Amino acid sequence: MSKSFYSLVILAALSVACTGPKTLQDRLTANDRQIDEVISKMTLEEKVEMLHSKTNMSSAGVPRLGIADIHYADGPFGIREEGVPNGFQSAGWKLDSATYFPTGSALAATWSKDLAYLYGKGMGKEARLRGKDVILGPAVNIQRLPVGGRTYEYLSEDPILSAALSLGYTLGVQEEGTAVCIKHFAVNNQETNRGSVDAQVDERTLREIYLKPFEKAIVEGGAMSVMPAYNKVNGEYCSENEHLLNEILRGEWGFKGMTVSDWGGTHSTMGAMLHGLNVQMTGSNYLGQPVIDSIAKGVLTEEMVDEKVRQILRLRFAIEAVPEDVANTVMTSQPQSQDIALQVARKSIVLLKNEGGLLPLSKEVKKIAVIGQNAVLRTQSGGMGAGVKALYEVTPLEGIRRRAGKDVEVVYAPGYKNFPGRRWGPAPKEPKPLEAAAIDEEADPKLLAEAVEAARGADLVIFFGGTNKSIETEGSDRKDINLPTGQETVVQALHEANPNVVSVIISGGPCDLRVLEKHSPAIIQGWWNGTEGGTALAEVLFGDIAPSGKLPFTFPAKLEDSPAFAMGNFPDPNAGGDLFTLMYRQDRTRMSREQIAEMMAKMPKPVSKYTEGALVGYRWFDTKDIRPMYAFGHGLSYVEFDYGILKATAGKKGVKATFTLTNSGTREADEVAQLYVHRLDATVEWPSKELKAFQRVTLAAGETKTVTLEIPIEDLRFWNVEKNGWDLEHGRLELLLGSASDDIRQKAEVSI
Ligand code: BGC
């Protein structure tokens, strides 16, 4: 799809609005008169019913007045299987198998807002088939920590990249008549103590880094709902954070829709009522009867409730309810969406290294040894909330076998044990044969010997390493980024047995590749890549397509090099409590909500200091001159690209940069051209360079295209703390154009 098509979507949406409301947010107010009539007919009890959950995944409408309930679905990378009304346990339905889309970091590795838009459309359509009104996604928090448990759900460490994808996703979903609930607002960058941690971040960093992906989807994309996060930001819980919800979201950004607390993330009646929350998920202990009691006591007014209901009804009126007899009549996963998942997977795979042109596989390769359990483990579910019951999932081994056909023999050995992560309930008496008891367990001698044997007899080895969905998961962060269960020993032994080793990392976040890198002439970052992940991977390995993904975050050489670790900001030694785990696992902890609340109150109050400021990810590595293992934006192809001279102009509206891009290879390939800005006369403090624009370009063999990248002036501003507003620092900018943040090919200078 062309860039112009994507722009047309925004233009079309806005031109509808030209005759009436000005922005996509204003469009939400189109039914306000009718909404007010409805409100005037409602009892206080009916209104308050709308302010909290009805079931685990719905909130009430007004049946008497023909207003349907609102149905929610996780999100963010597939419509989650139907749960029982009051919990997350499976409802045991047959038609709720959905398309498993590549997870967030894989989507981000495409660096394609067009694909994010298509992805959103696929998600939006499947939500409708299931009768869902709101998708709990996209999840757009900045990947601040390499160990972050939800890195795989999130997009990127960079705000401009995250914002572009978050906008594409939002437009796609909402165009299908489903609302997004963009999450987790805001600064939810860690799982450790996520239910209580206070993220202490300065205003400039907040605005320039952490809020950007939300701002874009809300202001330009018209996101209809927002999920305040579990954590606190600068002392206040996000679900009752005046600055975030009332001043910024509704005040500055003109948000007209509704906010829905993260599940268990509402903390008080007054806080929620006064500071911007619409719906308590889940439970009614704050936004149920206590609201009615507070009105009776005169500390809240019914008009306040009316305003909340109005904001909820705006979404309800904008999203047509799916009639019950229409919903769930066909399988959720549809071929069109499966095809989108495949398109995204194809463009997400990152070739990190390709020494001696080991890839694509040569025709001489007649026998392949596929080693490593990550070649066969399915990645659709696990990781707590964000799992999908996929209709099908092509694993890497299946993809390779199918593509290899009869000509190439493929043998498989598990190589290492899988670490199944934390267990709920008692550990099994006998450990399962292929499961490790600890994440750092040594390589299993028997599996190792078997793998080496297979490697010896093959022309080429494909080693599948990385993490799994219990190691990277919601509710906890990784302790480190080490490869688990002796994987380093295995790859080293394989390499000794056979020098032709291609390593494929199957993970959502970065891993420490210092050892693996020494024993792998070729390395691919393969992600958790959705329903068709194995198909796409095989296409890249066998050279049907050239790889074109680019890293959306830095792979540090070692964890201690990354900013929050280097600054001693993470981990915080204070232990706390994970709300989700405590509240929703009552069946396991056997504690009442009151007991849990009491325990939480006594816990130390964890803090996360963001003193690294804007120096997140590559901004830190560049500014401090620390070499990462693989830099942000890195990703090789099977061809070379030549960048022509960069010509740039600057004006009131921003910067325009033009250059030619040539595919000097003999096959079609995509390149993602990246434009960074370095400030030359800075008086304000800036990171060494910052991504400001990018473009994915498809080029036939030998083809040259002229590419123009534009940086809107708004994206060059900084948050001036003294003025408490956006400001522009005039001066010279050095524009750095390249194939990765550490592979700059052309430079130009402009003044703004
Ligand atoms: C997660 C949300 C999710 C919700 C409902 C929470 O634990 O943080 O992202 O949407 O559960 O499943």
Side-chain angles (χ1 to χ4, degrees), residues 57 74 80 88 136 150 183-184 194 227 230 262-263 474 580:
M57 281 288 162
D74 276 307
R80 190 174 177 181
F88 290 105
L136 303 174
R150 298 183 90 164
K183 67 190 188 184
H184 308 88
R194 66 173 170 168
M227 184 191 290
Y230 282 130
D262 201 344
W263 272 226
E474 182 184 334
F580 181 92

Side-chain angles (χ1 to χ4, degrees), residues 349-355 358-359 461-463 465 483 491 501-506 511-526 537 540-541 547 551 555 629-630 634-636 638:
I349 294 165
V350 184
L351 181 60
L352 294 173
K353 174 181 175 183
N354 195 15
E355 227 169 65
L358 196 56
L359 289 174
V461 179
I462 309 180
F463 172 71
L483 289 170
V491 73
V501 176
V502 176
S503 283
V504 182
I505 310 301
I506 301 292
C511 295
D512 182 329
L513 302 182
R514 281 174 295 170
V515 173
L516 178 133
E517 196 269 339
K518 289 199 179 74
H519 303 287
S520 317
I523 308 177
I524 280 177
Q525 175 61 33
L537 181 69
V540 167
L541 291 168
L551 289 181
F555 265 60
M629 176 56 75
Y630 294 110
H634 172 73
L636 305 171
Y638 292 155

